[in-house]
Amino acid sequence: MSFSGDIKEELSRLASGGRHCRVAETAAVLSLCGKIVITENNCYCVKIQTENLPVARKYFTLLKKAFNIKAEVSVRKNRGMRCYSVVVRKDREARRLLRDTCLLDSDGNIYECMSPIHNQLLKQNCCRRAFIRGAFLAAGSVSNPKKSYHFEIVCASEEKAAQLQGLLMQYQIDAKTVVRKRYYVVYVKEGSQIVELLGLMGAHVSLMELENVRIVKEMRNSVNRKVNCETANLNKTVSAAVRQVEDIRYIEAAVGLHKLTEGLEEMARLRLEHPDASLKELGDMLSPKVGKSGVNHRLRKLSLIAEKLRV
């Protein structure tokens, strides 16, 4: 099962708190993957279709516990994939379901508002979290964290995407929206914020799994940075030592090392004898000992002498 599948399986088994939270979660599922059919006799029928069994199971359970509605469930194959349909066919039950989830106004018109400012279902924090959970169950996914960090919820309209984005931003989640084909996708790409979202939805087992992956990746990246840094420093040190040896050999061939001052001659001969030694190691070999800056100063002087001789 994919990481998204694991999260949805965990969330499908999570028991919502009070009825108000169950209603909010149901409203999110209906809003993002529900379909309302009105017959010629002005009878209502409400259905959802999903390829995810945990989602169908959770929605069926919500209908039973929050509305005392026993929905019809059917399964069919679509391009080799099982597709689950959960349908409320009785007009009275369908109307009650739509009214309670704020999808039907008092005049019988289809109405929908996901904004917590106007939607009475989203006044409480627990209900907003339940709504986010339902939205993810209905139309969300999370990429495999071992490859990348990407959380998204697909919305059918720009208005739904904007309202869902606003809801997430109430929790300081930096959600963004992008148009993909004819859908509007609300997404989050920051690993720490995806962790925050999983916590908001109540997926604590998946949260810990993602955190473990993040820790391993961060440790690996930290080690790689240190190795790269040390490698770069080593390459820099080796390149500098090679240039210093070349300069000293040029001085030796051009005028001889005995023409140098005592301190520079000693430094030149030490570098020729120990081409791999660090500045500190060279300084410790001198008598008296000299610090790294002193050794570097003498080697720079030797390089300047070689440069003048080459002109």
Side-chain angles (χ1 to χ4, degrees):
M1 188 181 290
S2 66
F3 187 59
S4 280
D6 289 340
I7 297 172
K8 291 188 177 184
E9 180 66 37
E10 181 181 357
L11 293 178
S12 72
R13 299 184 183 280
L14 183 68
S16 300
R19 181 179 185 274
H20 45 88
C21 292
R22 293 170 184 164
V23 173
E25 191 168 353
T26 305
V29 174
L30 284 175
S31 177
L32 292 174
C33 74
K35 184 179 180 181
I36 302 170
V37 179
I38 305 176
T39 67
E40 295 179 356
N41 299 326
N42 200 34
C43 291
Y44 284 77
C45 173
V46 180
K47 67 186 295 186
I48 71 158
Q49 287 186 327
T50 177
E51 293 179 352
N52 198 300
L53 176 59
V55 176
R57 184 176 63 234
K58 181 62 179 288
Y59 177 63
F60 180 87
T61 303
L62 287 169
L63 291 177
K64 181 65 177 174
K65 289 187 175 181
F67 305 92
N68 196 27
I69 294 174
K70 188 173 182 180
E72 297 179 14
V73 180
S74 60
V75 185
R76 63 182 177 82
K77 281 197 173 183
N78 181 21
R79 297 178 182 177
M81 296 289 293
R82 287 186 176 182
C83 184
Y84 302 89
S85 296
V86 184
V87 186
V88 178
R89 295 195 184 278
K90 293 181 180 179
D91 178 68
R92 182 179 298 178
E93 291 182 338
R95 286 175 184 269
R96 177 162 56 86
L97 172 62
L98 294 173
R99 279 196 300 268
D100 287 357
T101 54
C102 296
L103 298 175
L104 192 70
D105 64 19
S106 57
D107 297 324
N109 299 314
I110 304 299
Y111 171 77
E112 178 179 8
C113 179
M114 297 162 62
S115 171
I117 298 174
H118 303 292
N119 193 328
Q120 61 182 6
L121 295 180
L122 305 180
K123 296 299 183 183
Q124 299 183 66
N125 177 54
C126 57
C127 295
R128 290 195 291 272
R129 293 173 62 177
F131 189 92
I132 293 170
R133 179 166 61 247
F136 176 79
L137 280 167
S141 65
V142 180
S143 64
N144 184 343
K146 293 180 180 179
K147 297 179 180 178
S148 64
Y149 300 128
H150 185 84
F151 173 104
E152 71 175 37
I153 297 176
V154 180
C155 302
S157 70
E158 185 176 7
E159 183 183 16
K160 285 184 182 182
Q163 291 180 343
L164 180 59
Q165 181 183 18
L167 181 59
L168 294 178
M169 290 178 73
Q170 286 198 345
Y171 293 97
Q172 286 73 54
I173 302 296
D174 186 23
K176 293 181 172 59
T177 304
V178 66
V179 179
R180 185 187 299 157
K181 296 182 179 178
R182 58 189 180 89
Y183 295 100
Y184 295 83
V185 181
V186 179
Y187 69 93
V188 177
K189 297 191 77 68
E190 177 62 41
S192 61
Q193 296 216 321
I194 295 175
V195 168
E196 182 72 18
L197 273 168
L198 293 179
L200 283 173
M201 294 189 297
H204 300 296
V205 174
S206 299
L207 182 155
M208 292 305 299
E209 183 179 345
L210 176 55
E211 279 286 54
N212 288 338
V213 172
R214 287 183 67 223
I215 290 169
V216 171
K217 288 176 74 172
E218 287 176 7
M219 287 181 62
R220 186 182 295 120
N221 290 337
S222 177
V223 170
N224 287 339
R225 282 194 298 271
K226 288 180 181 178
V227 170
N228 291 338
C229 183
E230 290 174 1
T231 301
N233 288 337
L234 181 60
N235 289 337
K236 185 178 178 181
T237 301
V238 170
S239 297
V242 169
R243 287 195 305 273
Q244 291 159 7
V245 169
E246 289 177 352
D247 290 340
I248 293 168
R249 292 200 183 281
Y250 188 84
I251 295 170
E252 185 178 33
V255 296
L257 297 181
H258 64 280
K259 293 287 187 179
L260 299 171
T261 63
E262 183 179 348
L264 289 180
E265 182 182 1
E266 183 183 13
M267 185 75 262
R269 294 190 184 282
L270 266 178
R271 173 48 92 193
L272 290 177
E273 293 172 9
H274 306 281
D276 299 328
S278 65
L279 297 182
K280 185 179 184 307
E281 289 170 340
L282 289 173
D284 290 342
M285 295 176 194
L286 292 170
S287 182
K289 293 182 179 181
V290 177
K292 288 171 62 176
S293 60
V295 172
N296 188 51
H297 179 70
R298 294 187 188 186
L299 290 170
R300 286 180 64 188
K301 274 193 171 182
L302 289 170
S303 294
L304 287 173
I305 292 170
E307 186 177 337
K308 289 179 181 178
L309 290 173
R310 288 189 180 102
V311 176

